[in-house]
Amino acid sequence: KLNNCGLDSAMLGPGFGRVLEENRTLTHLELDTNPLDLDCLTELFSGLGSEKAVLQTLKISNLIGLSSSNSVERMMQESLKNNRSLLELGFHLKDAHSRDCITRKLMKNRDILRVRRKTEREAAEGKTGTFSA
């Protein structure tokens, strides 16, 4: 949780997206109410656009100095096409089309996770000889 701590693009650096792409442990990130600019968001979503990304929750509401616009929202939408991990995005999406596409993508990711858990549970039950009626 890094909410309202004055974190800006210069502090995160240009490699922030690569860090999120290569991260294997951080699943929840809150950056609400920080002065993050469009370049930082672009970097952030480029990292999340990887199929290898593991971040499940991203909260970036109320970014100081950055207003939601169609271009920002479409960039988010485009970046998340390959993402399979993000389940929750805390950002007020004003563009109806982008909001719909991103919401459907997050629901699809939740469904993928649900199926994966079910398959793992069934495999574990099969190994232990436990059967459920």
Side-chain angles (χ1 to χ4, degrees):
K1 293 183 180 185
L2 298 170
N3 299 321
N4 198 23
C5 65
L7 191 64
D8 64 11
S9 299
M11 292 176 183
L12 292 174
F16 185 56
R18 195 176 73 245
V19 169
L20 287 177
E21 181 179 338
E22 295 175 7
N23 161 59
R24 297 290 163 260
T25 55
L26 181 67
T27 59
H28 184 93
L29 180 60
E30 292 185 25
L31 298 171
D32 293 332
T33 318
N34 279 298
L36 303 179
D37 60 14
L38 182 59
D39 291 338
C40 187
L41 278 186
T42 302
E43 185 75 21
L44 182 126
F45 277 93
S46 73
L48 290 179
S50 168
E51 291 182 11
K52 301 184 299 182
V54 298
L55 195 68
Q56 294 180 355
T57 303
L58 175 62
K59 296 188 178 185
I60 52 172
S61 296
N62 196 30
L63 297 179
I64 300 167
L66 181 72
S67 61
S68 177
S69 68
N70 287 353
S71 61
V72 170
E73 294 179 19
R74 300 228 184 219
M75 178 268 304
M76 290 177 178
Q77 173 189 339
E78 188 65 31
S79 296
L80 291 176
K81 282 184 177 178
N82 293 326
N83 179 283
R84 295 181 181 183
S85 66
L86 197 64
L87 307 174
E88 181 181 350
L89 175 63
F91 186 78
H92 181 70
L93 298 161
K94 294 178 182 176
D95 179 60
H97 177 71
S98 294
R99 181 176 52 242
D100 181 53
C101 290
I102 290 172
T103 300
R104 281 190 280 135
K105 177 61 180 165
L106 297 177
M107 288 182 348
K108 183 177 180 180
N109 286 353
R110 284 187 204 108
D111 193 47
I112 290 168
L113 180 62
R114 181 189 57 77
V115 169
R116 185 181 318 137
R117 285 180 180 160
K118 180 181 177 187
T119 303
E120 290 171 355
R121 185 174 55 246
E122 289 172 351
E125 288 174 356
K127 287 180 184 176
T128 61
T130 307
F131 297 100
S132 58

